[in-house]
Amino acid sequence: MAGQTDPHISLFSPQEVEFMAEDELVQIVPNMNMEPLNFISGDFGRFVPQIPIEVPLWLAVALKRRGKCTFRPPGWLSVDNLTQILEAERESQSTFQALPFSYVEIARLLFDHARDDIPDMYMVRSLVEDIRDVRLHKLETNLGSFQGTSAVKISNVSAMEVNLVRPFVRRALEAFYKHDKPEADADRDTRSSRQPREANNEPRRPLRQR
Amino acid sequence: MASNSDLGSADFETLASTSDVELLKRAWRNEKAAPEILPYEAALIERAKGQIELVEENIEDYVENGIDPLVVSLYQMDLDRTQFLLRSYLRVRLLKIEKFMFHNLKSEEAESRLSEQEKVFAKSCADDLAKHFEESVLLKLPENYQSVLKQSLISEVDDMVPQPHLDTFVVCRSKNFVSLNLYEEGESPETVEMERGDLYFIRYKIVKGAIESGKIDLI
């Protein structure tokens, strides 16, 4: 069950990214009575019909599947708001709009499990897909103009986006850093730590190229 | 335990308002994202184990007492999620121990990051591997080349010991405002200032201290 991802390929698997998103709180409206649930992850409830309540996404999905509640979609997941975001994303080539860190995963889980609770579901879904595509394209383009070799700020980039570009960016920045190091440091490096690094049994880069 | 005791009072407040599951998730994410093994979260893991056992017992009671199966299944899901975090955390550590076993046993500082069971595991792994190398290859080589740790006797350092690559880059998010030195001492000082919630691709060495003191999370 607790499968591990190869730390060299991608740090977190898509399932693990989704796992983290499932802890985000969402609003639901229960249609049954239930005593408070005292979970390890926190206390939720009590549940009273027609009284909205905030619960983690995984719990909301579990209740929804059994027909015990309806979702209140988060405010950002509306046609109006998404249309605005999409326009703003298209307008600026360098900045990203503020969206929840796990917006892709949250939207996806809601589309899969709560389609009848989202007004204009098809419109909303296609907007989210457009936003995702525009952002990914922008992110790829922006990778070409990375500045700085020790710290690069990435504002408003989401969990899935970080995970996608991580392997590439990590290797690129490692290479920048290596070539940018001051001479003295490079000398010291050759003497003291180059050999151990050669002996490191991590996969060699040329072998990993496809 | 060590990592909890040296937290300041401001950190303690954020800690007090955070559930153990949140802390476990943070430990799991950091462990997965960091290139080297981080200090073992002994106190946290003990608490998490205790809570898991308690909930396991509760669930058995619920089943016996005929509580609504829906409620039981929800408790079971919550339990599964916590168990996943705990298992995955421990397994990531085992992976790293296997990868850097000689390195982890080389210095006291590195060894202090392991739990008692992990130390036993690392030692037996390292002993077995050394024995295997010696029997299959090393003892058949000329005398100067028989060390498991060195290429040859003239090597000054243990150059056959794989080490974590600390100059690698990680993604981090700061919890509060922090100011970090970009370079090591002796170089032109330059700092990076992170606001709360900022995301950065950053060299691991720069944030290493801030991760261990809980100011910054890896993602």
Side-chain angles (χ1 to χ4, degrees):
Chain A
M1 178 192 165
Q4 296 301 330
T5 47
D6 182 339
H8 287 286
I9 294 170
S10 161
L11 212 51
F12 294 97
S13 67
Q15 289 84 356
E16 286 167 337
V17 176
E18 187 177 294
F19 176 87
M20 290 186 256
E22 282 170 348
D23 281 331
E24 298 290 328
L25 295 178
V26 287
Q27 248 195 14
I28 57 164
V29 183
N31 58 19
M32 80 312 186
N33 271 303
M34 188 161 64
E35 291 300 308
L37 298 164
N38 306 310
F39 287 153
I40 311 179
S41 49
D43 299 337
F44 302 100
R46 63 175 286 146
F47 298 82
V48 180
Q50 305 314 320
I51 305 293
I53 183 171
E54 282 209 327
V55 295
L57 194 47
W58 66 265
L59 179 57
V61 169
L63 290 173
K64 175 78 188 174
R65 275 179 148 163
R66 291 166 176 82
K68 302 286 185 194
C69 72
T70 52
F71 273 82
R72 286 242 174 126
W76 56 269
L77 203 65
S78 66
V79 173
D80 282 350
N81 184 46
L82 292 174
T83 314
Q84 269 179 23
I85 289 182
L86 181 60
E87 269 170 28
E89 291 285 5
R90 284 193 170 132
E91 231 159 67
S92 161
Q93 196 37 242
S94 53
T95 58
F96 291 87
Q97 298 303 306
L99 276 167
F101 188 57
S102 303
Y103 81 94
V104 180
E105 291 78 18
I106 296 174
R108 174 67 200 271
L109 283 164
L110 288 178
F111 296 153
D112 281 355
H113 299 284
R115 49 180 59 217
D116 46 339
D117 297 335
I118 303 171
D120 310 311
M121 151 86 181
Y122 289 99
M123 189 66 190
V124 169
R125 184 157 77 180
S126 86
L127 277 168
V128 170
E129 276 168 15
D130 286 351
I131 290 173
R132 198 192 60 188
D133 290 347
V134 171
R135 287 170 62 108
L136 276 181
H137 179 75
K138 208 151 73 171
L139 196 59
E140 277 171 22
T141 327
N142 286 356
L143 289 185
S145 56
F146 259 14
Q147 290 292 320
T149 51
S150 270
V152 176
K153 187 172 175 179
I154 38 169
S155 297
N156 292 333
V157 174
S158 83
M160 178 275 289
E161 290 154 359
V162 165
N163 216 36
L164 267 180
V165 299
R166 182 191 336 249
F168 172 78
V169 174
R170 182 169 59 195
R171 291 223 301 264
L173 287 176
E174 274 175 24
F176 283 166
Y177 177 70
K178 209 165 114 192
H179 295 300
D180 206 50
K181 259 184 176 177
E183 282 301 316
D185 199 41
D187 274 357
R188 197 177 62 207
D189 193 54
T190 325
R191 261 187 283 118
S192 65
S193 69
R194 208 199 70 200
Q195 282 186 321
R197 196 172 299 158
E198 296 257 295
N200 197 322
N201 62 3
E202 282 181 32
R204 301 287 190 273
R205 257 167 226 167
L207 293 177
R208 290 176 45 77
Q209 302 284 337
R210 255 171 245 159
Chain B
M1 241 178 287
S3 63
N4 280 358
S5 56
D6 53 33
L7 287 174
S9 59
D11 293 316
F12 186 77
E13 273 173 31
T14 52
L15 256 187
S17 62
T18 315
S19 77
D20 278 348
V21 173
E22 276 307 311
L23 292 175
L24 186 59
K25 198 157 74 173
R26 167 174 190 274
W28 169 69
R29 273 202 308 234
N30 285 351
E31 195 66 66
K32 270 181 89 78
E36 61 173 348
I37 199 157
L38 299 173
Y40 181 65
E41 300 271 0
L44 173 63
I45 299 304
E46 274 315 304
R47 290 200 303 272
K49 277 186 190 161
Q51 291 188 16
I52 286 174
E53 274 166 29
L54 190 73
V55 173
E56 278 172 341
E57 283 167 24
N58 285 350
I59 288 179
E60 274 174 35
D61 290 348
Y62 292 154
V63 175
E64 276 170 27
N65 299 341
I67 302 264
D68 185 356
L70 170 69
V71 175
V72 177
S73 75
L74 294 178
Y75 274 100
Q76 186 66 48
M77 286 174 84
D78 175 56
L79 179 65
D80 288 344
R81 292 177 67 83
T82 314
Q83 279 181 325
F84 166 78
L85 283 178
L86 181 62
R87 283 192 201 124
S88 189
Y89 172 75
L90 295 173
R91 285 193 193 198
V92 178
R93 292 182 62 87
L94 289 183
L95 267 183
K96 287 187 184 172
I97 292 173
E98 282 181 7
K99 205 167 162 203
F100 305 116
M101 55 181 112
F102 292 112
H103 172 78
N104 286 336
L105 295 171
K106 230 169 63 178
S107 65
E108 290 219 343
E109 196 275 329
E111 216 186 316
S112 69
R113 293 164 168 247
L114 307 184
S115 73
E116 288 309 314
Q117 289 123 309
E118 284 170 344
K119 276 181 204 165
V120 174
F121 174 71
K123 276 192 187 114
S124 72
C125 255
D127 289 348
D128 288 348
L129 193 69
K131 191 167 161 243
H132 172 65
F133 280 166
E134 277 163 10
E135 283 174 1
S136 56
V137 183
L138 290 170
L139 291 181
K140 301 185 176 78
L141 294 177
E143 243 173 66
N144 284 354
Y145 299 95
Q146 290 187 352
S147 164
V148 179
L149 305 180
K150 297 178 181 187
Q151 285 194 34
S152 75
L153 282 186
I154 51 167
S155 304
E156 288 165 27
V157 288
D158 293 342
D159 50 8
M160 290 299 274
V161 177
Q163 288 178 347
H165 183 30
L166 301 186
D167 272 333
T168 192
F169 282 75
V170 292
V171 188
C172 74
R173 181 163 50 185
S174 58
K175 286 187 207 162
N176 290 305
F177 176 81
V178 267
S179 171
L180 296 163
N181 260 327
L182 273 186
Y183 296 102
E184 282 116 83
E185 69 285 359
E187 291 169 33
S188 53
E190 197 182 329
T191 55
V192 57
E193 296 185 335
M194 295 189 194
E195 303 285 342
R196 182 187 155 84
D198 277 359
L199 272 184
Y200 273 87
F201 266 103
I202 198 161
R203 203 152 51 88
Y204 176 71
K205 267 188 189 164
I206 299 169
V207 290
K208 186 175 144 76
I211 295 165
E212 283 172 25
S213 60
K215 287 182 191 130
I216 279 184
D217 285 348
L218 294 184
I219 290 173

